[in-house]
Amino acid sequence: MIIIVKPETKKERVNDLIHWIESQNLRTHLSTGDYSTIIGVIGDTSKLDSDLIRGLDIVENVKRVSEPYKSANRKFHPQDSVIQVGEDKRLVGGGHFAMIAGPCSVESEEQIISVARSVKAAGATMLRGGAFKPRTSPYAFQGLKADGIELLVKAKQATGLPIVTEIMNANHLPLFEDVDVIQVGARNMQNFELLKELGRTRKPILLKRGLANTLQELLMSAEYIMAGGNENVILCERGIRTFETATRNTLDLSAVAALHEMTHLPVIVDPSHATGVARYVKPMAMAAAACGADGLIIEVHNDPPHALCDGAQSLRPEQFVEVAKAVNAIRATVAGLDEQ
Amino acid sequence: MIIIVKPETKKERVNDLIHWIESQNLRTHLSTGDYSTIIGVIGDTSKLDSDLIRGLDIVENVKRVSEPYKSANRKFHPQDSVIQVGEDKRLVGGGHFAMIAGPCSVESEEQIISVARSVKAAGATMLRGGAFKPRTSPYAFQGLKADGIELLVKAKQATGLPIVTEIMNANHLPLFEDVDVIQVGARNMQNFELLKELGRTRKPILLKRGLANTLQELLMSAEYIMAGGNENVILCERGIRTFETATRNTLDLSAVAALHEMTHLPVIVDPSHATGVARYVKPMAMAAAACGADGLIIEVHNDPPHALCDGAQSLRPEQFVEVAKAVNAIRATVAGLDEQ
Amino acid sequence: MIIIVKPETKKERVNDLIHWIESQNLRTHLSTGDYSTIIGVIGDTSKLDSDLIRGLDIVENVKRVSEPYKSANRKFHPQDSVIQVGEDKRLVGGGHFAMIAGPCSVESEEQIISVARSVKAAGATMLRGGAFKPRTSPYAFQGLKADGIELLVKAKQATGLPIVTEIMNANHLPLFEDVDVIQVGARNMQNFELLKELGRTRKPILLKRGLANTLQELLMSAEYIMAGGNENVILCERGIRTFETATRNTLDLSAVAALHEMTHLPVIVDPSHATGVARYVKPMAMAAAACGADGLIIEVHNDPPHALCDGAQSLRPEQFVEVAKAVNAIRATVAGLDEQ
Amino acid sequence: MIIIVKPETKKERVNDLIHWIESQNLRTHLSTGDYSTIIGVIGDTSKLDSDLIRGLDIVENVKRVSEPYKSANRKFHPQDSVIQVGEDKRLVGGGHFAMIAGPCSVESEEQIISVARSVKAAGATMLRGGAFKPRTSPYAFQGLKADGIELLVKAKQATGLPIVTEIMNANHLPLFEDVDVIQVGARNMQNFELLKELGRTRKPILLKRGLANTLQELLMSAEYIMAGGNENVILCERGIRTFETATRNTLDLSAVAALHEMTHLPVIVDPSHATGVARYVKPMAMAAAACGADGLIIEVHNDPPHALCDGAQSLRPEQFVEVAKAVNAIRATVAGLDEQ
């Protein structure tokens, strides 16, 4: 951590600050320049509150040199984390690819089982489906809730696919007992109370990046879960909000490369929500596979035009077959390159 | 609502869609152009799901003409809403100005009562103070929680100022019984489960705009609360996230003018969080008063350099006296202009 | 075009507007709703000024249904454009891939010829190099200017690679006679005076997307060039400015898919400027190839740590060999899928 | 400047870097920590290229402590700059307020003289009017060009108001001889070739902030003009591009406070282009005056519904009278507070 002291600060006041920092078991180096005095803080500064120091009247600015996330940091955990999902321990990360597919919303037993069978046949490794739906409008369909989870469990029994579904309220946790991966949606990425509760479980958590959150904030939210003892976090890039309106959000694929450098956690990509357009899902899924994503989560519906939500971005099962084939071909090519 | 049908769609399929829409008690008008066919939907379309229609394979695009928010819409409620706060029914909105001040975090009985007395003397009409603190890092100070609320209540008893504090978890609601205004923070603006619970109370809710949320989304979140029966919503502009780094966020003051047109709900401004810099609070508070804000919420701390959070943006009580004086002078000038 | 008329507008005034529109050789359809009256305008509205109509006091809003770009619009030109570059007519677009590589700045004859030979050996089809450099700071190195172009021409003579370099001032056009592709940088995407001059040439123009420009604006800038008679435009996605700071810009790869739908012009990707980090160039180049980009433009320098600008994002020649190999493998895979 | 060296870098290589820096007449301080080694660079680093250093393979990151702009920097020029405009030397900055008003485009002699008389009567101190118009579409009205400037000069002769108009091409400079303030539009803020040419004149330059440019970049563009010897730069905040669509752009009024701290140059505000909505111009003009702007530039048209461009944001002369009155009242109040 670098502390830039205001020009013309009295020497004693700088010394007071240095003494206080050193009392926190940290070491300091002092540089005195023409226009500014700089204190370098050395040691584990991750628990030091930079806002507190920035608030001191003698301080002009504070810059972190090391990252404020620790459990998620690749520096302290160089190997890729591999997350185990479901009773038969399917792996995600470290070369193991997750192909998660299913409808935006669970609508009926027939629908979810039919979609589950289709996506399994096409090579999906997990089934997604919304039971509790975060909708911008209170007047829009909010999901089948507990009934939706029951139907997902039936689809798991019918197909053997582990199930992924979103939680919106920590009080609903008892309903998620048979859910294999609990998803935290983009709008809840900084719902810290929810993250803390999920840190007390040992379920894999699929943590989606918020619409306007930096990669560092995403890792701090992962840190909330991991600080509670649950290290089973899968990160998900799903598009960020920008000025562009040609796509619903802007898919930030360089986040995959950057996150792989910053953290050991697996990173998957959601091209359906990122683009909001079914026609763009296939090229973006291929791109995600090409740049090293550890998985994909894709919306597939047996009847997209009549889907109760987000029909615009859902693929039909036969389109998903094509996507899965293309993604596998890209992955095989990438694997071949890595082996050389 | 305008539905743009894809070129070369068969006439029968367009007719099917028209019949379905008309079966929802809406009327339609059909325009057939060279490059596109357009269906205009007439009537109350606020409960019609535009995503559903966009998902139909014959539909190119859907554009809303009327707003999807209803209870918050000024079109159906032309007069300003005036919210009553606390036992002595202090008013906010419709010409009544809220001057809310206090520390980022409640730290001790002495601190909160001392700040409360200072801000009251300077003209504050309510006391703010954080008990539950949403922090990006799990390692940062998270607030005194229930104890913090108790201390706020003591400060209310000592000064008569109504108290405003943030809720992060609907399960904490019983602790907020003596809180006069419940704040929903920017990161929870789309925590729909929390909003629904607050809709069941009758407490005034201070709803802060999310970092990347449009004004329409802010009103849809207000709608969640109002749809539950609680019409006591105060909106708060607190800066949005942009590429600029000279200020922590970008204060969007034109939101005050735009919201006053869109909705009858009062709109207040938080210059402390918007800028993140104590020196900019005074000019931005003056600007907010000049453009018609219904109130301000400002961070004041008796000892900003040692504040446990956000010291950088807190004013000292004597600085707040200057801000309050300047804001009152601007307000008097604006009132004088309106009377002419 | 859809014109939404303000509620309670007198009928005669609406009729006046309709007559005026029809006098422009356009047809109209009128829909009268409970809350709004809507005029649909049918015909070629691309030359109608929507701002002018929006400014009328009886108009609430105007929404375009058809796109304001015409020459670049795929609707009126369904086949991919194929651009011919250089004396030996290398093709870009419609399945022909451009692999453009070279240093940020031309520094010396030895440097540019050495890099040109390296990238040619690795499979590059064109050489890039900056002679006129747009730099944020007036104190930073601004390029070798005319001398830089001369050195590029020497590198072309030595290797046979067509050359691509940026223009910043239409007055410099005579210097670009032997340049094969003229680049318009992101900061000049809306330098309309420059675009008009380039429309008078017949050289291929590489038009980079501005930092905060929508895809529609990019196409309107292409339209400036094409309206002058020069249809040889190659579009380039090079990252947009967002709140994220982990990468210099945010590479918007879904722009490739969206642009391929909107326009017949080729679309290439610049992963070097988009990410600003050499380590991320390879995964992003692979992703671009996977989602159907018509080419790449990549910074390669023989000695990146000592490059006079942007060393951080430049690859060494031996790294570029790896990138080119990976991109070719991905392209072969994609081509195989398309053939099936 | 702070240079963070990569962990495990060999000591000799760090020493090489230190020697090179010291050879540039700068001093260094070295701090060696557990996770990183830091070199502090002391002295005038404004001409040191941080990208060059960031590109070195032993460097992890570079952070500037001091600003890269020098002529515009308030640190080296604590007093407000006061710019003299026109033959009668009207002042802008340092307490002197510029009230610039006029139409988006000059349309005819009658129009521009009529508007000039109206705005002068209402208290405008300068006349604005577009002769060369930057339009997104090549098919939209591009201005009367040289004829427009002639008409502006006639309006100056008729009213005595100095005139402000936009330049788009340095080749047009001879046409601007009788123009009092030359405006650089947002899209040309980083047209460095144009800025350099304007640096060779001694005319006051009104430099508008680009749609996605930081305040630091705005100052670097001012620096381009000032480095050429022209210190007469007036900065203009005119809204930035964000995700919000309720206003055309997002007016960043905290830029006024931040710029006043960073630079001695005057800062004016354009509420017309920032909001794009005539109804919001008055509240935003009042807010700008309240937070200390040194002037306003406002679109006024005698017949906004028929204006050839941007009618939506133009005020009628009688509305401008009200705006001017309100702004003057706010300014008087602010001046009264400052005197106390």
Side-chain angles (χ1 to χ4, degrees):
Chain A
M1 181 181 283
I2 301 293
I3 301 170
I4 301 147
V5 178
K6 284 189 189 154
E8 289 164 43
T9 299
K10 284 200 183 133
K11 215 173 161 178
E12 305 109 71
R13 301 221 46 209
V14 177
N15 287 337
D16 287 351
L17 176 56
I18 287 173
H19 290 148
W20 178 80
I21 292 166
E22 295 185 340
S23 75
Q24 316 281 312
N25 280 323
L26 296 161
R27 281 177 299 125
T28 61
H29 275 255
L30 185 69
S31 303
T32 310
D34 289 347
Y35 300 119
S36 52
T37 296
I38 292 159
I39 304 169
V41 184
I42 299 151
D44 174 10
T45 60
S46 71
K47 290 178 189 180
L48 204 60
D49 189 340
S50 59
D51 283 336
L52 173 58
I53 294 167
R54 192 174 286 114
L56 295 167
D57 59 351
I58 65 167
V59 170
E60 188 171 302
N61 207 345
V62 175
K63 301 187 178 193
R64 278 196 180 276
V65 173
S66 56
E67 303 80 12
Y69 46 93
K70 213 165 169 164
S71 305
N73 198 330
R74 192 180 279 274
K75 271 193 191 155
F76 310 120
H77 185 312
Q79 280 75 38
D80 289 343
S81 279
V82 180
I83 311 295
Q84 298 186 346
V85 171
E87 285 127 51
D88 57 354
K89 305 202 172 172
R90 307 202 176 201
L91 306 180
V92 184
H96 304 276
F97 197 81
M99 179 63 102
I100 309 171
C104 172
S105 288
V106 180
E107 295 168 24
S108 69
E109 182 170 340
E110 194 200 339
Q111 172 241 16
I112 191 68
I113 291 182
S114 143
V115 175
R117 289 202 167 119
S118 302
V119 300
K120 188 184 178 186
T125 60
M126 297 186 215
L127 174 68
R128 59 146 290 156
F132 293 93
K133 298 298 305 172
R135 302 301 303 272
T136 306
S137 165
Y139 309 124
F141 173 62
Q142 311 265 326
L144 292 183
K145 301 178 184 173
D147 293 344
I149 293 184
E150 266 180 49
L151 298 180
L152 280 169
V153 173
K154 283 189 183 168
K156 169 158 77 163
Q157 288 161 346
T159 60
L161 290 178
I163 54 179
V164 183
T165 195
E166 179 167 352
I167 195 164
M168 290 174 63
N169 186 330
N171 295 345
H172 297 158
L173 257 176
L175 299 170
F176 284 69
E177 202 158 312
D178 295 324
V179 169
D180 299 290
V181 177
I182 302 180
Q183 177 178 314
V184 176
R187 285 168 188 77
N188 278 317
M189 191 201 94
Q190 292 192 316
N191 181 341
F192 302 121
E193 293 283 311
L194 178 61
L195 299 177
K196 281 184 204 168
E197 286 298 324
L198 295 173
R200 290 192 192 101
T201 73
R202 289 300 172 265
K203 294 259 187 201
I205 308 298
L206 178 55
L207 179 65
K208 290 193 148 190
R209 181 183 183 184
L211 272 79
N213 287 111
T214 62
L215 299 184
Q216 181 168 304
E217 287 169 343
L218 174 60
L219 292 178
M220 293 311 291
S221 287
E223 200 80 12
Y224 260 96
I225 300 167
M226 298 171 91
N230 184 357
E231 306 237 319
N232 301 306
V233 181
I234 301 167
L235 305 171
C236 181
E237 160 61 31
R238 44 78 73 210
I240 57 175
R241 186 164 271 187
T242 69
F243 59 84
E244 178 58 70
T245 56
T247 42
R248 188 192 292 170
N249 298 291
T250 297
L251 179 61
D252 177 13
L253 278 183
S254 50
V256 176
L259 284 171
H260 275 161
E261 206 173 70
M262 298 162 85
T263 184
H264 50 88
L265 297 173
V267 182
I268 72 170
V269 170
D270 178 347
S272 303
H273 283 87
T275 64
V277 180
R279 300 182 301 279
Y280 303 160
V281 170
K282 187 178 170 188
M284 291 305 107
M286 292 165 74
C291 71
D294 298 297
L296 286 160
I297 179 164
I298 293 180
E299 287 202 1
V300 179
H301 196 280
N302 45 348
D303 186 14
H306 292 101
L308 289 176
C309 72
D310 282 338
Q313 72 201 23
S314 290
L315 300 179
R316 289 191 305 276
E318 61 272 26
Q319 293 172 312
F320 177 67
V321 171
E322 291 305 308
V323 174
K325 209 164 77 179
V327 165
N328 286 335
I330 299 276
R331 289 190 58 232
T333 304
V334 174
L337 289 163
D338 288 348
E339 273 162 26
Q340 288 174 354
Chain B
M1 181 182 283
I2 299 293
I3 301 170
I4 301 148
V5 178
K6 284 188 188 155
E8 291 162 43
T9 299
K10 284 203 182 129
K11 215 173 162 179
E12 303 108 71
R13 302 218 49 206
V14 177
N15 286 338
D16 287 351
L17 177 56
I18 288 174
H19 290 149
W20 177 79
I21 293 166
E22 293 184 343
S23 75
Q24 317 281 312
N25 282 322
L26 296 162
R27 280 178 299 125
T28 61
H29 273 254
L30 184 69
S31 304
T32 311
D34 289 347
Y35 300 118
S36 52
T37 296
I38 292 159
I39 304 169
V41 184
I42 300 151
D44 174 10
T45 59
S46 71
K47 290 176 190 181
L48 204 61
D49 190 338
S50 58
D51 283 335
L52 173 58
I53 294 166
R54 192 174 286 115
L56 295 168
D57 58 352
I58 64 167
V59 170
E60 186 168 308
N61 207 344
V62 175
K63 299 188 179 195
R64 279 197 178 277
V65 173
S66 57
E67 301 81 12
Y69 47 94
K70 212 163 170 166
S71 306
N73 198 329
R74 192 181 277 275
K75 272 194 190 154
F76 309 119
H77 185 312
Q79 280 76 38
D80 288 344
S81 279
V82 180
I83 311 294
Q84 297 186 348
V85 172
E87 285 127 52
D88 58 354
K89 305 200 172 173
R90 306 202 176 198
L91 305 179
V92 184
H96 305 276
F97 196 83
M99 180 61 104
I100 309 172
C104 172
S105 289
V106 180
E107 294 167 25
S108 69
E109 181 168 341
E110 195 199 339
Q111 172 240 20
I112 191 67
I113 291 183
S114 144
V115 175
R117 289 203 167 117
S118 301
V119 300
K120 187 186 181 184
T125 61
M126 297 186 216
L127 175 67
R128 61 147 288 157
F132 293 92
K133 298 297 306 170
R135 303 300 302 274
T136 306
S137 166
Y139 310 122
F141 173 62
Q142 310 264 328
L144 293 183
K145 302 178 183 174
D147 293 345
I149 292 184
E150 266 181 49
L151 298 180
L152 280 168
V153 173
K154 283 189 183 167
K156 169 157 79 161
Q157 287 160 349
T159 60
L161 288 178
I163 54 180
V164 183
T165 197
E166 178 168 352
I167 195 164
M168 288 174 64
N169 186 331
N171 295 346
H172 298 157
L173 258 176
L175 299 170
F176 284 69
E177 202 159 313
D178 295 325
V179 170
D180 299 290
V181 177
I182 302 179
Q183 178 179 315
V184 176
R187 283 167 188 77
N188 279 316
M189 191 201 94
Q190 293 193 316
N191 181 340
F192 302 122
E193 293 283 309
L194 179 61
L195 300 177
K196 281 184 205 169
E197 286 298 323
L198 296 173
R200 291 192 191 102
T201 73
R202 290 299 172 267
K203 293 262 186 198
I205 308 299
L206 178 56
L207 178 65
K208 290 193 149 191
R209 181 183 185 184
L211 272 80
N213 288 110
T214 62
L215 299 184
Q216 180 169 305
E217 287 170 340
L218 175 60
L219 292 177
M220 293 310 292
S221 287
E223 200 80 12
Y224 259 96
I225 300 168
M226 299 171 89
N230 185 357
E231 306 237 320
N232 301 306
V233 180
I234 300 167
L235 305 171
C236 181
E237 160 61 30
R238 45 79 74 211
I240 56 174
R241 185 164 271 188
T242 70
F243 59 85
E244 178 60 69
T245 55
T247 44
R248 186 192 295 172
N249 298 290
T250 297
L251 180 60
D252 177 13
L253 277 182
S254 51
V256 176
L259 284 171
H260 276 161
E261 207 173 69
M262 298 162 85
T263 183
H264 50 87
L265 297 173
V267 182
I268 72 169
V269 170
D270 178 346
S272 303
H273 283 86
T275 63
V277 180
R279 301 181 302 277
Y280 303 160
V281 170
K282 187 179 173 186
M284 291 304 108
M286 292 166 76
C291 69
D294 298 297
L296 285 160
I297 179 162
I298 292 179
E299 288 202 1
V300 180
H301 195 280
N302 46 347
D303 186 14
H306 292 101
L308 289 177
C309 72
D310 282 337
Q313 71 202 24
S314 290
L315 301 178
R316 290 190 305 276
E318 61 272 25
Q319 293 172 312
F320 177 67
V321 170
E322 290 305 307
V323 174
K325 210 164 77 178
V327 166
N328 286 336
I330 298 277
R331 289 191 58 233
T333 304
V334 174
L337 289 163
D338 288 346
E339 273 163 25
Q340 286 175 0
Chain C
M1 182 181 282
I2 300 293
I3 302 170
I4 300 148
V5 178
K6 283 189 189 154
E8 290 164 43
T9 299
K10 284 201 183 131
K11 215 172 160 178
E12 302 110 70
R13 303 220 45 209
V14 177
N15 286 338
D16 287 351
L17 177 55
I18 287 173
H19 289 147
W20 178 81
I21 292 167
E22 294 184 342
S23 74
Q24 317 281 311
N25 281 322
L26 295 162
R27 281 178 298 123
T28 60
H29 275 254
L30 185 68
S31 304
T32 311
D34 290 348
Y35 300 119
S36 51
T37 296
I38 293 159
I39 303 168
V41 184
I42 300 152
D44 175 10
T45 59
S46 71
K47 290 177 190 181
L48 203 60
D49 190 339
S50 59
D51 282 337
L52 173 59
I53 294 167
R54 192 174 285 114
L56 295 168
D57 59 351
I58 65 166
V59 171
E60 187 170 306
N61 207 343
V62 175
K63 299 187 178 193
R64 278 197 180 276
V65 173
S66 56
E67 303 80 11
Y69 47 93
K70 213 165 169 163
S71 306
N73 198 330
R74 192 181 277 276
K75 272 193 191 155
F76 309 120
H77 185 312
Q79 279 76 38
D80 288 344
S81 280
V82 179
I83 311 294
Q84 298 187 348
V85 171
E87 286 126 52
D88 57 354
K89 304 202 173 173
R90 307 204 176 200
L91 306 179
V92 184
H96 305 275
F97 196 82
M99 180 62 103
I100 310 170
C104 172
S105 290
V106 180
E107 294 168 25
S108 70
E109 181 170 341
E110 192 200 342
Q111 172 240 18
I112 191 67
I113 291 182
S114 144
V115 174
R117 290 202 166 118
S118 302
V119 300
K120 187 185 179 187
T125 60
M126 298 186 214
L127 175 68
R128 60 146 290 156
F132 293 93
K133 299 297 306 170
R135 302 300 304 272
T136 306
S137 166
Y139 309 123
F141 174 62
Q142 310 265 328
L144 294 183
K145 301 178 184 174
D147 293 344
I149 292 184
E150 266 180 50
L151 298 180
L152 280 168
V153 173
K154 284 189 183 169
K156 169 158 78 163
Q157 289 160 346
T159 60
L161 289 178
I163 54 178
V164 183
T165 195
E166 178 167 352
I167 194 163
M168 290 174 65
N169 187 330
N171 295 345
H172 298 157
L173 258 175
L175 299 171
F176 284 69
E177 202 158 314
D178 295 324
V179 169
D180 300 289
V181 177
I182 304 180
Q183 178 178 315
V184 177
R187 284 167 188 77
N188 278 318
M189 191 200 93
Q190 293 192 315
N191 182 340
F192 302 121
E193 293 284 310
L194 179 60
L195 299 178
K196 281 185 206 168
E197 285 299 324
L198 296 174
R200 290 192 193 103
T201 74
R202 291 299 171 268
K203 293 259 187 202
I205 308 299
L206 177 56
L207 179 65
K208 290 194 149 190
R209 181 183 185 184
L211 274 78
N213 287 110
T214 62
L215 300 183
Q216 181 169 303
E217 287 169 343
L218 175 60
L219 292 178
M220 293 310 292
S221 287
E223 200 79 12
Y224 259 97
I225 300 168
M226 298 171 91
N230 184 357
E231 306 238 320
N232 301 307
V233 180
I234 301 168
L235 305 171
C236 181
E237 159 62 30
R238 45 78 72 213
I240 56 174
R241 186 163 269 188
T242 69
F243 59 85
E244 178 59 70
T245 55
T247 43
R248 188 193 292 170
N249 298 290
T250 297
L251 179 61
D252 177 12
L253 278 184
S254 50
V256 176
L259 283 171
H260 274 162
E261 207 173 69
M262 299 162 85
T263 184
H264 51 88
L265 298 172
V267 182
I268 72 169
V269 170
D270 178 346
S272 303
H273 283 87
T275 64
V277 180
R279 300 182 302 279
Y280 303 160
V281 170
K282 186 179 172 188
M284 290 305 107
M286 293 166 74
C291 70
D294 298 297
L296 285 161
I297 179 163
I298 293 180
E299 289 201 0
V300 179
H301 196 280
N302 46 347
D303 186 13
H306 292 101
L308 288 176
C309 71
D310 283 337
Q313 72 203 23
S314 290
L315 300 178
R316 290 191 306 276
E318 61 271 26
Q319 294 173 311
F320 176 67
V321 171
E322 291 304 308
V323 173
K325 207 164 79 178
V327 165
N328 286 336
I330 297 276
R331 288 192 58 233
T333 304
V334 173
L337 289 163
D338 289 347
E339 273 162 27
Q340 286 175 355
Chain D
M1 181 181 284
I2 299 294
I3 301 170
I4 301 147
V5 178
K6 284 190 188 153
E8 291 162 43
T9 299
K10 286 204 182 128
K11 216 172 160 180
E12 304 108 72
R13 303 219 46 209
V14 177
N15 286 338
D16 287 351
L17 176 56
I18 287 173
H19 290 147
W20 178 79
I21 292 167
E22 294 185 342
S23 74
Q24 317 280 312
N25 280 323
L26 296 162
R27 279 177 299 125
T28 60
H29 274 256
L30 185 69
S31 304
T32 310
D34 289 348
Y35 300 117
S36 52
T37 296
I38 292 159
I39 303 169
V41 183
I42 299 153
D44 175 10
T45 60
S46 72
K47 290 178 190 179
L48 204 59
D49 190 339
S50 58
D51 282 336
L52 174 58
I53 295 167
R54 192 174 287 114
L56 295 169
D57 59 351
I58 65 166
V59 170
E60 186 169 308
N61 207 344
V62 175
K63 300 186 178 194
R64 279 196 179 276
V65 173
S66 58
E67 303 79 13
Y69 46 93
K70 209 160 172 170
S71 306
N73 197 330
R74 192 180 277 276
K75 271 193 192 155
F76 310 119
H77 185 311
Q79 280 76 38
D80 288 344
S81 279
V82 180
I83 311 294
Q84 296 186 350
V85 172
E87 285 126 53
D88 58 354
K89 305 202 171 174
R90 306 201 176 201
L91 306 179
V92 184
H96 305 277
F97 197 83
M99 179 62 103
I100 310 171
C104 172
S105 289
V106 179
E107 294 167 25
S108 70
E109 181 168 342
E110 195 199 341
Q111 173 240 19
I112 191 67
I113 292 182
S114 145
V115 174
R117 288 201 167 118
S118 300
V119 300
K120 187 185 181 187
T125 61
M126 298 186 216
L127 175 68
R128 59 147 289 157
F132 293 93
K133 298 297 305 171
R135 303 300 303 272
T136 306
S137 166
Y139 310 122
F141 174 62
Q142 311 264 329
L144 293 183
K145 301 175 184 175
D147 293 346
I149 292 184
E150 266 182 50
L151 298 181
L152 279 168
V153 172
K154 284 191 182 166
K156 168 157 81 164
Q157 288 160 348
T159 59
L161 290 178
I163 55 179
V164 183
T165 196
E166 179 167 351
I167 195 164
M168 288 174 64
N169 186 332
N171 295 346
H172 298 157
L173 258 175
L175 299 170
F176 284 69
E177 201 159 314
D178 294 325
V179 169
D180 300 289
V181 177
I182 303 180
Q183 178 179 314
V184 177
R187 283 166 189 77
N188 279 317
M189 191 201 95
Q190 292 192 317
N191 182 339
F192 302 122
E193 293 284 309
L194 179 60
L195 300 177
K196 281 185 204 168
E197 285 299 323
L198 296 173
R200 290 192 193 103
T201 74
R202 291 299 172 268
K203 294 261 186 200
I205 308 298
L206 178 56
L207 179 64
K208 290 195 149 191
R209 181 183 184 184
L211 273 80
N213 288 109
T214 62
L215 300 183
Q216 181 168 304
E217 287 169 342
L218 175 60
L219 292 176
M220 292 311 290
S221 286
E223 200 80 11
Y224 259 96
I225 301 167
M226 299 171 90
N230 184 357
E231 307 238 319
N232 301 307
V233 180
I234 301 168
L235 305 171
C236 180
E237 159 62 31
R238 45 78 73 212
I240 57 174
R241 185 163 269 188
T242 69
F243 60 84
E244 179 59 69
T245 56
T247 43
R248 187 191 293 171
N249 298 291
T250 297
L251 179 61
D252 177 13
L253 278 182
S254 51
V256 176
L259 283 171
H260 275 162
E261 207 173 70
M262 297 162 85
T263 183
H264 50 88
L265 298 172
V267 182
I268 73 170
V269 170
D270 178 345
S272 303
H273 283 87
T275 64
V277 181
R279 302 181 302 278
Y280 304 160
V281 170
K282 186 178 172 189
M284 290 307 106
M286 293 165 75
C291 70
D294 297 298
L296 285 161
I297 179 162
I298 292 179
E299 288 203 359
V300 180
H301 196 280
N302 46 348
D303 186 13
H306 293 100
L308 288 177
C309 73
D310 283 337
Q313 73 202 23
S314 288
L315 300 178
R316 290 191 306 276
E318 61 271 26
Q319 294 172 311
F320 177 67
V321 171
E322 291 305 308
V323 173
K325 208 164 78 178
V327 166
N328 286 336
I330 297 277
R331 289 191 58 232
T333 303
V334 173
L337 289 163
D338 289 347
E339 272 162 26
Q340 285 175 358

